Amino acid sequence: MKPNVIDEIVKNNLCIGCGTCAGVCPQEILKIQDNEYGEYIPYETQMCDSGCGLCLEVCPFGNNENETQMGAKIYGSTQGMKYLSETGYYLDSYAGYSSEFRQSSASGGMAAWLLTKLLKEGIVDYVICPTSQKNPEKLFSFEIMSDENSVKAASGSVYYPVEMSEVIHKILEVPGHYAVTGLPCFVKALRLAAQKNRKLRERIVFTIGLVCGQMKSKNYTKYIAAIAGNNDLKKVQSVYYRGKSPEKPASNYYFQSTDEHGSQHKIFWNEGVSEAWINRWFTPNACNYCDDVFAELADVTFMDAWLPEYSKDSMGTNLVLVRSPEILVFIQEEIGKKEINVSKIPIEKVIKSQMGVLDLKRNQLSYRLYIALQEGQKVPEKRVHPKEKIGVLKKREIKLKARMQKESKELFLDYYKDTTLDIKTFRDGMQPYIKQTKQLRSVGKLALPIQIIKKISRREGNRR
Ligand SMILES: Cc1cc2nc3c(=O)[nH]c(=O)nc-3n(C[C@H](O)[C@H](O)[C@H](O)COP(=O)(O)OP(=O)(O)OC[C@H]3O[C@@H](n4cnc5c(N)ncnc54)[C@H](O)[C@@H]3O)c2cc1C
Ligand code: SF4
Ligand code: SF4
C-alpha cells in the first residue's frame, strides 16, 4: 500500500483543498468537504483498499517534483524562453488593461478578456473558473462555461475556498479543449494530474494562473461580512471582493455582500479588511509552506500592477507574465487594437510589484520551515532551505502572524453562534495581538533610521 493524502497531507494540516486528489481517485472514494474552520479537505467515504497512491502523486503539497523541475519540462525547450528564480520561466511581460472588462474585474480585466477571447475564437470549447452560487454555505464553486457572458459574469477575484474535484470529473467525461484558471498550487496540481492522465493532458490546453499571496477560509468571508454590517450570516447570498470607487486608489477596493432580500453591505479595504488580510487571519496552514509566487506552471499569469505608476488609477491595471507562445502571439496581435491597452514592461518591474509576496514565500518561508522543523512538524520539501538567520524584527513579525492565524480561527469558532458573529468579543480576543503588531510597527519605524545610520557609519569606517 502506497501512502495517501489523508495520512500524509490532511493529518499534517498541509491541505489547501484543491480537490485534485478527489478528482482523480480511480476508486472515487475521496470526497471534499468543509472542516470546522471553513477550509476544504478530502475525506474517505470508505477505506481505501487499493493503495495506488495516485492521490498523493497529484497533490501540490506532496513531495513530488518542484515547480522549477516541472517548469523545465514544460517550457524549458521553448524558443525565446527565459528563466529567473523569482518568476520561473517566461517569454515576455506586459502591463495593461481591457477597457471592456476592467470595471467588473479584479484588476485590469485582462484575465477575463483572454478567457472570453479564447472561447470566441474557438481556441477552447470550455472555460473553467469559479463563479457565484448564491448559496450562503457555498458562495463560489468552479464551473464549466461555454459562453462568453457567463465568463464575463465570473470575473473578479475569489478569496474563498473553491475545489476542482467535480470539474476534473467532467473534463474526464466530456471531450473538448478546456482553459482553467487557478492559483499557483491549483495549477501545479493540474499539471501533476495531467502527467498521470492522458485525457487531462490532452483536454486542458491552457492554464491561466493568478499570482497568490495567500488563500482565505469561508470563515474569513463571514468575518468581513459581519464587520461590513451583516447580522445574519446565513442569509449572505453573494459577495464581491473588489469593488472599485473612482475617488479611491486601486488598492483601496471595497468588499460588498448581498443578502437574500437584496440588502447590501459594503466595507473598504482600509476599514478593517486589510487588518485581517495582512495579518493572515483565517489563512490556511498550507499557505505557510508555499514558494510559488507567479504561478510558474501556468501558460500565462495575471496579477495586480502594485507599482506607484499604476496603483493610483482606481480602475486597476494588470501585469501579465506570458509562458505560452500561442498566448504571446495572441497578445501581440492585439497591441494597438481597441480591445486591450497593453505595453511591454521590464521583468524587473514585475518582480518589484510582488516584492512583499516574494519576501513572504522565500525569505520568511525559510524561517517558517526552520520553526516547524524545530517543533517536530512535518513540512513539505521546498525550494528554499530552513534558515534561522533572519532579522530579529522579522522573526517577531512571523511568529506574531502565525499566532494570529491560529487564534483567529479558534476565536471565530468560539464566538460564532446561531449564524451571528459576536464581533466585539472576537476582536477583544485579537486585541493583544493587534497591540503587539502596532508596537512592532513603531519599533520597525525607529529601527529603520538606526539601520541606515549604522550602514552609513560602516561605509564611512571602510573609507577611512
Ligand atoms: C486568493 C488570491 C490571492 C491573490 N493574491 C495576489 C497577490 O498577492 N498579488 C497580486 O498581484 N495578485 C494577486 N491575486 C490576483 C489578483 O487578485 C487578480 O486576480 C489578477 O490581477 C487578475 O486580475 P484581472 O482583472 O485580470 O482578473 P479578472 O478579469 O477579474 O478575471 C479573473 C479570473 O480568475 C478567476 N478567479 C478568481 N479567483 C479565483 C480563484 N480563487 N481560483 C481560480 N480562479 C479564480 C475568475 O473567475 C476570473 O475568470 C490573487 C488572487 C486570488 C484569487
Ligand atoms: S492539497 Fe489538494 S490534492 Fe492535496 S490533499 Fe488537499 S485537496 Fe487533495
Ligand atoms: S499561497 Fe500558495 S498554497 Fe496558498 S493558495 Fe496561494 S498558491 Fe496556494
Side-chain angles (χ1 to χ4, degrees):
M1 293 275 272
K2 289 188 183 169
N4 69 16
V5 284
I6 304 295
D7 291 334
E8 296 295 311
I9 306 296
V10 180
K11 286 184 184 161
N12 290 307
N13 197 12
L14 292 172
C15 173
I16 193 61
C18 69
T20 311
C21 51
V24 301
C25 172
Q27 312 274 319
E28 297 194 11
I29 60 164
L30 290 173
K31 292 273 175 283
I32 302 292
Q33 68 174 13
D34 293 352
N35 65 13
E36 55 189 332
Y37 302 117
E39 298 164 357
Y40 280 139
I41 47 164
Y43 74 103
E44 284 175 319
T45 53
Q46 61 185 75
M47 275 283 284
C48 170
D49 53 16
S50 117
C52 72
L54 183 62
C55 55
L56 196 54
E57 288 168 8
V58 301
C59 177
F61 287 93
N63 287 332
N64 299 304
E65 282 182 312
N66 66 36
E67 288 79 350
T68 307
Q69 293 160 334
M70 292 174 73
K73 282 190 198 160
I74 303 167
Y75 304 113
S77 56
T78 306
Q79 213 190 354
M81 195 62 83
K82 298 169 261 280
Y83 177 83
L84 286 173
S85 61
E86 290 91 342
T87 58
Y89 288 88
Y90 68 97
L91 283 171
D92 224 337
S93 42
Y94 294 88
Y97 58 84
S98 145
S99 306
E100 185 188 344
F101 292 90
R102 212 176 180 194
Q103 180 61 49
S104 54
S105 285
S107 342
M110 290 283 293
W113 166 79
L114 177 69
L115 291 166
T116 51
K117 192 87 178 157
L118 290 173
L119 268 182
K120 217 190 307 184
E121 306 273 318
I123 297 167
V124 300
D125 306 299
Y126 305 103
V127 162
I128 299 185
C129 63
T131 185
S132 176
Q133 295 301 308
K134 302 224 176 335
N135 170 356
E137 287 310 313
K138 195 184 200 178
L139 290 171
F140 295 89
S141 68
F142 269 104
E143 298 295 331
I144 301 185
M145 293 161 219
S146 55
D147 72 286
E148 295 155 39
N149 289 338
S150 309
V151 174
K152 188 172 182 186
S155 56
S157 282
V158 176
Y159 304 135
Y160 189 88
V162 281
E163 58 90 8
M164 304 188 290
S165 62
E166 294 300 318
V167 293
I168 290 176
H169 288 150
K170 290 266 168 57
I171 302 173
L172 292 172
E173 270 166 44
V174 183
H177 290 143
Y178 294 80
V180 188
T181 66
L183 301 174
C185 56
F186 282 54
V187 176
K188 181 176 185 189
L190 283 178
R191 292 290 194 185
L192 286 166
Q195 279 183 358
K196 302 280 167 194
N197 186 296
R198 185 181 48 81
K199 282 186 185 166
L200 293 178
R201 203 159 52 239
E202 287 171 1
R203 293 176 186 177
I204 303 174
V205 290
F206 288 113
T207 46
I208 313 294
L210 304 174
V211 160
C212 179
Q214 57 183 313
M215 199 359 122
K216 293 292 188 190
S217 67
K218 292 187 179 180
N219 293 352
Y220 164 78
T221 294
K222 286 186 177 158
Y223 171 70
I224 51 172
I227 60 170
N230 263 288
N231 295 324
D232 189 347
L233 297 169
K234 269 261 160 23
K235 292 189 177 148
V236 173
Q237 279 211 329
S238 65
V239 299
Y240 189 71
Y241 293 93
R242 302 211 20 181
K244 296 173 184 182
S245 251
E247 73 282 7
K248 305 249 176 17
S251 51
N252 194 9
Y253 42 79
Y254 64 83
F255 164 86
Q256 182 165 289
S257 66
T258 307
D259 71 16
E260 59 184 15
H261 307 296
S263 97
Q264 293 185 323
H265 296 272
K266 191 168 162 177
I267 186 169
F268 278 89
W269 170 253
N270 61 9
E271 291 173 341
V273 180
S274 65
E275 179 182 64
W277 185 272
I278 292 167
N279 290 318
R280 294 175 82 78
W281 298 4
F282 307 102
T283 301
N285 185 54
C287 297
N288 293 343
Y289 303 107
C290 174
D291 62 14
D292 184 355
V293 175
F294 290 98
E296 294 178 36
L297 303 177
D299 293 315
V300 57
T301 299
F302 294 97
M303 69 206 88
D304 288 288
W306 293 140
L307 293 167
E309 56 268 46
Y310 299 107
S311 43
K312 281 194 198 87
D313 185 343
S314 62
M315 289 295 279
T317 308
N318 284 118
L319 298 184
V320 188
L321 207 50
V322 187
R323 301 188 181 88
S324 144
E326 290 100 309
I327 292 180
L328 185 66
V329 170
F330 217 61
I331 291 178
Q332 282 169 343
E333 279 176 1
E334 292 299 325
I335 293 181
K337 290 192 196 161
K338 266 209 206 115
E339 284 185 21
I340 51 172
N341 184 337
V342 285
S343 52
K344 280 197 188 195
I345 186 167
I347 193 71
E348 293 76 23
K349 288 243 174 182
V350 176
I351 293 173
K352 193 175 164 208
S353 80
Q354 303 298 329
M355 280 316 277
V357 187
L358 275 163
D359 180 55
L360 189 74
K361 291 193 173 192
R362 301 290 168 93
N363 190 29
Q364 298 188 32
L365 170 60
S366 294
Y367 186 59
R368 279 197 297 272
L369 287 169
Y370 168 80
I371 300 180
L373 292 172
Q374 289 287 308
E375 290 173 354
Q377 289 172 37
K378 194 175 154 100
V379 287
E381 282 166 20
K382 291 282 110 186
R383 290 174 290 176
V384 295
H385 299 295
K387 182 178 80 179
E388 195 203 355
K389 263 194 151 195
I390 180 170
V392 182
L393 290 180
K394 208 45 141 191
K395 275 186 185 173
R396 282 191 58 193
E397 184 193 332
I398 295 168
K399 285 186 172 165
L400 188 55
K401 285 187 178 170
R403 284 207 290 274
M404 286 194 266
Q405 194 178 354
K406 283 196 187 124
E407 196 63 10
S408 57
K409 296 181 195 186
E410 299 302 336
L411 284 175
F412 185 93
L413 293 188
D414 292 344
Y415 301 121
Y416 180 66
K417 298 264 150 48
D418 302 326
T419 75
T420 307
L421 176 68
D422 179 349
I423 303 170
K424 180 169 180 325
T425 325
F426 174 88
R427 289 191 58 80
D428 284 350
M430 292 304 287
Q431 203 52 44
Y433 305 104
I434 298 171
K435 212 168 141 194
Q436 285 178 52
T437 308
K438 283 185 185 150
Q439 283 167 349
L440 198 58
R441 212 175 299 138
S442 14
V443 176
K445 276 186 192 148
L446 280 177
L448 195 65
I450 295 172
Q451 274 170 2
I452 295 169
I453 292 166
K454 272 189 182 165
K455 242 187 206 167
I456 294 171
S457 36
R458 259 202 310 272
R459 225 181 288 149
E460 293 296 312
N462 287 345
R463 272 191 208 143
R464 264 184 235 133

